[in-house]
Amino acid sequence: MSDLPVDDDTDALDDTARAVVDEERAAARKFVQGLSADEIRSGVWFSKLIGGALKTYTDKVDWQYFQEKYEGVPADVIVDQRIKMASRYAALEGGLSTGAYTATLAATIGTLGGASPATVPAGVAAFMVDVVFVTQLQLRLAYDVAVLYRVPLDLSDPEDVWKLVRVAFTIKSGELAREGVSKAVPALLRPLLKKYYSGSVLHAAKAFPVVGKFLLQRNVIKFGIPLVGIPLSVLVNRYTTLAAGRHARAVFRNEARIVEVAQSLAAASESPRLLLWVTWLVVEAGGASDDEAMLLRNLVRYVREVHEVVDEELAGVIDVDPGRVWRLLAKTTGDVSDVMAAAHRVARVDGEPSAPQRRVLAALADQVAARAA
C-alpha cells in the first residue's frame, strides 16, 4: 500500500492518491485477466491473490520499512494514518469502478461457467477488478497493522496466513459493514437494500466458498441498485476498509499488549520456573481465555529466551494440582514477591479476575505468608 505525501495541499493529495489507485487498479486488472470463469466462481481467485499479492508486498514491507518512513512516530499514530489512507484509496477506487456494472451483474456471476479467461463477461471482469483491489488493500492494511505493533506473522506458515485473513475479513467486520451500508444510504433505499441481501445477491453468493462468498456479498450489493451504485460503492468501500483497519488495530494492538506483559513478567522474575507454574494455575482456574492462553504461550517463550529455562514437566501437565505448585513455592529460595505480583497481572490480562481466580490468588497469598512466617 503506497503512502500519501505529508502535505497540506488537498489537490496534491488527491492527485497522488488517484495516481496510486490507477496504478493498483492496473495491477488488479492484469491479475483478473489471467483468471478463468471457473476460478472466479469457485473462489480459487482468492487463493491465487493471497499467494501473489502478499508475498510481493511483504518482501519489501517490514518493521525497518516503517522505521525509516516514520522515524520516532508512535505505532498508534502510524496505524491511524494507514487506516485513513487505505479508506481514502478504497473510496476513490469505488467511484472509478462502479460505472462498469449493470443491475444484472449478480445473476451473471451466479451463472459463470467455462475454463478460459476469454469466457469471463466484461462486466464480471470489471467487477472483479474492484473485488481484487479492495481485498488486496485490506489484506495489506491488516498486515501493516501487525508489523507496526510488532506482532510476528510468518506468511510461509498457513496458520499465520489464515490468522491474517480472519483479521482482515472477520465476520464481525462484515456484519458491521452491512449495518453501515443500511445506515449510509437514504432511508427510502434501505428496504431495497435488504431485498437485495435476501434475493439474487445472496443466491449468487452460494456459488463461492466461505471467504469468497463473504467478499461477493459485500461487493455485489454496491452495484445491484440502479442509480445509486457510484455513491453507495464509495461509501461501502470506505466503510468496510475502515472497519477492517479498526478491527486489525484492536486485534493486533491487544496481542502486542499481551506480548509486552509476557516480556515484562519474564524479565522481572527471579523465580522463572515458579512463575510459569503459578501462571498456569491462575489461567486454568479462569478457564484459559484466548488472551490468557496467548500470555502463557509468550511467557514460556520469553522465560526460555531470558532465563534459558525450559520446563518439560509443565508442558506435560493437563490439570494443575495446586499442592504441587505450593510445594514448588516452598522449595523456592529468595524473594517471590514478583511471582505474587505477576499472578495478579495474569488474572487481569483479560479483565477482572473470575471468582475461581480470586480464590487462587487468595490461596497463593496465604502460601506466601506461611512461607515467610
Side-chain angles (χ1 to χ4, degrees), residues 52 293 298:
N298 281 282

Side-chain angles (χ1 to χ4, degrees), residues 36-357:
S36 70
D38 285 342
E39 287 174 328
I40 294 173
R41 185 186 61 250
S42 67
V44 171
W45 68 270
F46 184 69
S47 300
K48 294 181 72 172
L49 180 67
I50 290 178
L54 278 183
K55 185 177 188 314
T56 302
Y57 187 71
T58 58
D59 281 347
K60 69 173 184 177
V61 176
D62 54 16
W63 171 247
Q64 186 61 34
Y65 170 87
F66 287 119
Q67 279 290 90
E68 293 173 357
K69 218 171 230 318
Y70 304 100
E71 186 176 3
V73 181
D76 282 346
V77 175
I78 306 172
V79 166
D80 187 58
Q81 289 181 343
R82 302 298 284 186
I83 293 172
K84 289 177 180 177
M85 180 176 63
S87 67
R88 184 187 185 94
Y89 288 167
L92 281 171
E93 196 280 334
L96 294 171
S97 288
T98 309
Y101 320 124
T102 70
T104 61
L105 177 61
T108 302
I109 291 178
T111 57
L112 271 179
S116 168
T119 65
V120 178
V124 174
F127 164 73
M128 285 303 299
V129 169
D130 176 82
V131 175
V132 167
F133 180 98
V134 175
T135 299
Q136 179 172 269
L137 182 70
Q138 293 176 359
L139 278 170
R140 290 177 175 179
L141 175 60
Y143 174 79
D144 286 351
V145 174
V147 170
L148 284 163
Y149 285 125
R150 302 195 189 191
V151 174
L153 289 176
D154 178 5
L155 297 185
S156 64
D157 182 344
E159 186 175 335
D160 276 5
V161 173
W162 182 234
K163 176 181 180 180
L164 183 64
V165 170
R166 289 199 313 269
V167 171
F169 308 116
T170 175
I171 296 299
K172 181 180 179 181
S173 176
E175 290 169 352
L176 286 173
R178 286 195 287 276
E179 292 171 4
V181 168
S182 296
K183 293 174 182 176
V185 300
L188 290 176
L189 293 174
R190 291 175 192 168
L192 183 57
L193 190 65
K194 291 179 181 178
K195 177 183 176 182
Y196 263 76
Y197 265 117
S198 60
S200 59
V201 174
L202 189 59
H203 177 74
K206 292 178 181 177
F208 281 70
V210 176
V211 176
K213 176 181 177 180
F214 166 69
L215 295 174
L216 180 64
Q217 284 179 294
R218 190 183 69 181
N219 286 278
V220 170
I221 190 62
K222 298 181 292 189
F223 315 116
I225 302 177
L227 305 180
V228 296
I230 290 178
L232 186 58
S233 179
V234 170
L235 287 169
V236 173
N237 277 12
R238 180 179 181 277
Y239 188 87
T240 56
T241 302
L242 280 172
R246 289 167 180 169
H247 180 68
R249 177 174 59 195
V251 170
F252 290 127
R253 192 180 193 281
N254 181 61
E255 186 164 340
R257 174 185 67 85
I258 291 172
V259 168
E260 190 174 81
V261 170
Q263 287 178 311
S264 173
L265 294 180
S269 181
E270 296 181 12
S271 309
R273 186 163 182 260
L274 178 62
L275 171 65
L276 292 177
W277 280 87
V278 168
T279 297
W280 181 220
L281 186 64
V282 173
V283 166
E284 188 188 49
S289 69
D290 289 345
D291 284 354
E292 289 172 334
M294 187 189 306
L295 173 62
L296 181 58
R297 186 170 64 251
N298 281 282
L299 186 59
V300 168
R301 176 162 66 95
Y302 286 117
V303 163
R304 181 175 65 246
E305 292 177 1
V306 175
H307 300 282
E308 298 183 349
V309 171
V310 177
D311 195 325
E312 298 293 347
E313 189 178 356
L314 178 68
V317 170
I318 303 300
D319 292 318
V320 181
D321 174 13
R324 192 175 186 177
V325 180
W326 306 149
R327 288 191 293 274
L328 177 60
L329 172 63
K331 290 191 297 185
T332 301
T333 59
D335 184 16
V336 294
S337 59
D338 63 285
V339 174
M340 189 73 221
H344 283 274
R345 289 188 71 183
V346 170
R348 288 175 170 78
V349 76
D350 59 349
E352 284 300 307
S354 64
Q357 286 178 321

